Every structure is written in structure tokens, then in C-alpha cells.
Amino acid sequence: MGYITIKDLNFSYNRKQNVLNNINVEINKGDWVAVLGHNGSGKSTLAKALVGLIEPQSGTITIDGLELTEESAYDIRKKIGIVFQNPDNQFVGVTVRDDIAFGMENLQVAREEMIERILFYADKVQMKNFLDKEPSQLSGGQKQRVAIAGILAMKTDIIIFDEATSMLDPSAREELMSYIKSLHDEGLTIIMITHDINEALLADKLLILKEGEVFAQDDSRKLMRHKHLFVESHLELPVALDVANELKDKKYDLIKETLWAYVSMK
Amino acid sequence: MKGIVIGQYVPGKGFFYRVDPRTKIVAVLFLMIGTFLLNDIYQVIGALLLTFILLVIGKISFIKVMKGLKPILILLIFTFVFQILLNKEGALVLDSNLNISLINIAFVIGLFIVWRLLAKFKKFNFLLFIAFIVGSIFLFANVTISGDYLFTSFNFRIYEKGIEMSIFVVLRLLIIITLSTILTLTTKPTDLTQGLESLLRPLKKIGFNSDDFALIISISLRYIPTIFDEANKIMQAQASRGADFSEGKLKDKLKQVISLLIPMFIIAFMRSEELADAMGSRNFIPGKPRTRLHILEYSYRDVLVSMFTVAFFTIALLLRINVLGY
């Protein structure tokens, strides 16, 4: 049994058509999983289901041995946090300090402990000098970093990034990706929802959703070799990988060494 | 719209900045009631002097307080004029006949044109307005030309008590506004909310959740600049497609406002849904107890402010019920 186990999960908004259809996934502790899929494939719905924001019609989600139900959602959310797409719509506090504190206040963390954690995690995301700033004085990337600090301060060990980079400019996007990488290096379990294959390449494992179903899931290096999976899911492989795959068919296995190292470095 | 200031809070380090918001709210409330209990012009002048002393102690800029008066200037003028015109007690101070005649009206229209021509001197706008009103009354009262067609004439009388009462009422309003300005200038909106929440906590017994109330207010305050920003973007998007928000008939303007409001509402609802998800994912459950990062603490300053308030209120009450024999 994995650290996160999703079993026979079904969900629909209108009870007519399932947005999530018979999802079965296992994620181990410390994994970095990228969930790929085109618009409307059910990626964000899966993320919401994982944090208990929506209640599935059938199936179970188990996190660290605890089954997610309405009653257990409070305890499950101590382990799992989510960074949403729009940096503005998740900033609850009036200042950075207040926003980092929000989750801890809900978990009834003692004030002294809260102050310590705010300083520690604000420093970790390089926002220590911005503690008294209001959201209107911050850039999109900075707001996403504050959101990460707020989740880390709750001492969660799983973070979902629900297209968290999609509203950022290229440099902020690169910066956020390097944060995610460092969080993974520290042992956190990362679930990254994206439709950007370049970002997904950094993950250990890929989960491709298509029309609410798991279309493919495996080690990312293995999946990248199967171009047809991406084409059929209406996703586009990066040009470099595309070329590498073509060369491989002609017996030049670039993926194995050089190109993989290059892409991973990026 | 970035960096929009909510409320009138101006960062500073004066005495009142470090007074607990709960003390400030209660004190201002009681000082206002106390001011309303005063029923004599000398008492009100005394109270006004005390209010100025408070400004000096708090190192609050007099100009900033005066700026706070701007929105209610018209109210002050109306109160003053009505008191003067309607109060007919005491000795007669001024008795004059106002003649509304053809030539007089022409003169006043001329005066009006001069006033509007001088309107570019914005600094003296208020003084020019007063000059226009006084000038008009002077023209109606003193200019009589033979052969002029008289529409109507009436007596313009000012009584001693009228002047006294008009000054009394205006000074009382001035004190009340100055007091509330001290509160809003020296207290952050978030602290005000937290103070209110703390004061309303006893209402939990009748089912009013002050915690949620405070959170609603602080989230509203936090989202005002964001919503303004959004409105700006929508306006720009619509302007780029030919919409003009500044010109056109009233009907067109209304249509444009509606075309702005509908997307604003849709976006606001979408935002609120996402915000609710973000709050839920961070374990916010309405009504569930939470700890607080910011806690309110009383200090010696609160004792001083409370003592002053109690003293002022008691004296005002005693003066009102005439115990002091004044």
C-alpha cells in the first residue's frame, strides 16, 4: 500500500457524466508525481478530491493509512496542502505574516510557536523581508512562495501544486520549479498538476489523465519514450524529446544518456 | 489602483497608536455621547479645547484632521445656515428686508458668473463660495433701484440665540468628527476589526459569531484593492473595444456601468469560490476555535485613556442633570 492510495475513485458534478472515472493510483512517500492531461481531463478535480474539498461518489482515498472522510478531512489536511493556480485567490491574510499564520491559526498552533515558524518558513522561501507587505505589493511568484510557506508552516509532508506556475512569468516559473525541486530533495511528497510537459519531465513518475480516466502511469523516463501516449492525450512532447525518440527508432539512443541528463538539468 | 489606502490610517508613532483598539473604540463612543450631553456653548468650547489637546498629545497633524472634515463640510454649512435662519429666540441682531427683484436677480446672476470664472483658483474655492453667498444676500438686502420689478420681499432676521445655537451645533459636530478621525487615523483597519470582534464576543451567547464576522471584514478589506484592479482591467479591455465611460448620455453611461458590473460580479463569485477552497484546504472550519497570531494587550496608556473618558463622561452627565449647579 502506498503513502497515498486512490482506489476506484469516481466523481461527477452533475451525476450524469463522471469527471473522474475509476481512478486507481498509488504514490509512495517522497515521490514526485506529475499529473498531466489536457483541459477538462479531471486533473484539478483529482487535486480537490485529494484534499477533501469535494466528496467522491464512490471509491476511497487513503493517506498515510487514514481514509479520507468528512470526519477525517481535518486530520488529513494536516498532512497535505495545496498551492492553487491563481496566486491572488488564495491569499487570505492582510499581510504576508497573517497569510502564513492562517493555516496554523486553524490548527490551533500556540502563538509563540507560530511566530517561530513564520520566521523560519518565510526565510526558507526568501520572503523574510516582506512579512509586513500586503498582497498588492507582491508579484505573482512572491505570492506563490507565501502560499508554499503557509503550507510548510502547517508541517504538511505532501504538497499539491495545481498548475501553480501557469500564471507566472518565465523567470518566476523557473524559480518556483527550483523551490519544488528543493522541497522534493528534502523528502516531501510532491504532486504537480500541469499541462506543461517540460515541467512534468522533472518528476519521477507521470500520471496521464484523459477524459477522467488514468490513461497511463509509470516512471517518467519510460513514458517519455512512447510518443503515441502523448499524442492520443492531446499533449505535445517537447521538440528535443521528439527528436530523440525519432533518433532512437533509428538506433541512436540519445534519451538514455545525453538528452535525459540535459533535460533533467533544466 | 495599486497601493490603495483603505480607511484613513496613517502610519505613525504617537500616543494613540499604541492604545489598544478596544479602548479606543469604547472611549470614542463614550466621548461622543458625553459631547451630546453638553448643552451649553461654553461647555462645548471647553470640550473642543480638550479635543485639540488630545491631538497635540497624540502628535496628530491638524491638517490631516481637517482633511477628514472635507466630506461633511456641506453638512456643517447646512446645519449652520438652518440654525441661524430657524432659531428665533433671544435678542434681534440683524433685521433686514430681502427684495427679490428683477435687477437684483440679474446682479446675483452676474455674481454667479464671476464666481464660476474664478473657479480655477481651486485653493480659494470655499472662500469664493462663501463670498458668493454673502454677496448675494447683500445684493438682495441693499440694492433697491426705482422702477425695478419686485417679485417678492421678506424679512431676513438673525437672533442672538440663532448665532449661539448654530456655533454650538457646528462645534459639537466638529468634536465628534475629530474624535472619530483620531480613531481611524491611528488604528489599522485590521486592528479595528480585531477590536470590534473582541468587543462583540459576548454576543456569542445569542448566536452571533464574532470570529467569523471579523474574518469576513478583514477578507473584504484585503480584496478591495484586488477588485479595484480587476475593474480597471475590465474598463481598459472595454475601452480598447470602443467603450467610453466618461462621455455619453446618462442612459449610455448606465449601460456601460452594467457592462462593467456583470463581469465584475462573475469574477467576484469565481474568486470567492476559489478562496473558499484555499481556506478549506488550510483547515478553516467556520465556528471552530482558532488560535491568534495577533493578540490585543492593555497597557498603562489604556488606563490613562479610560480615566480621561470616564472623567469627561461623568462631568458631562453631571452638567446635564445640573448637579454641579452650573
Side-chain angles (χ1 to χ4, degrees), chain B residues 123-137:
Chain B
K123 264 190 177 174
F124 306 104
N125 223 343
F126 181 63
L127 282 177
L128 288 170
F129 173 69
I130 298 287
F132 168 67
I133 297 292
V134 173
S136 303
I137 294 171

Side-chain angles (χ1 to χ4, degrees), chain B residues 210-228:
Chain B
S210 59
D211 270 348
D212 289 354
F213 167 76
L215 194 68
I216 289 168
I217 303 281
S218 77
I219 288 177
S220 311
L221 290 174
R222 177 253 170 276
Y223 273 93
I224 289 172
T226 314
I227 303 267
F228 265 115

Side-chain angles (χ1 to χ4, degrees), chain A residues 214-232:
Chain A
V214 176
F215 186 63
Q217 59 172 323
D218 208 335
D219 184 282
S220 45
R221 296 182 190 207
K222 279 187 197 164
L223 280 189
M224 289 293 175
R225 292 173 183 272
H226 302 286
K227 188 181 171 184
H228 70 97
L229 290 175
F230 297 89
V231 175
E232 283 169 37

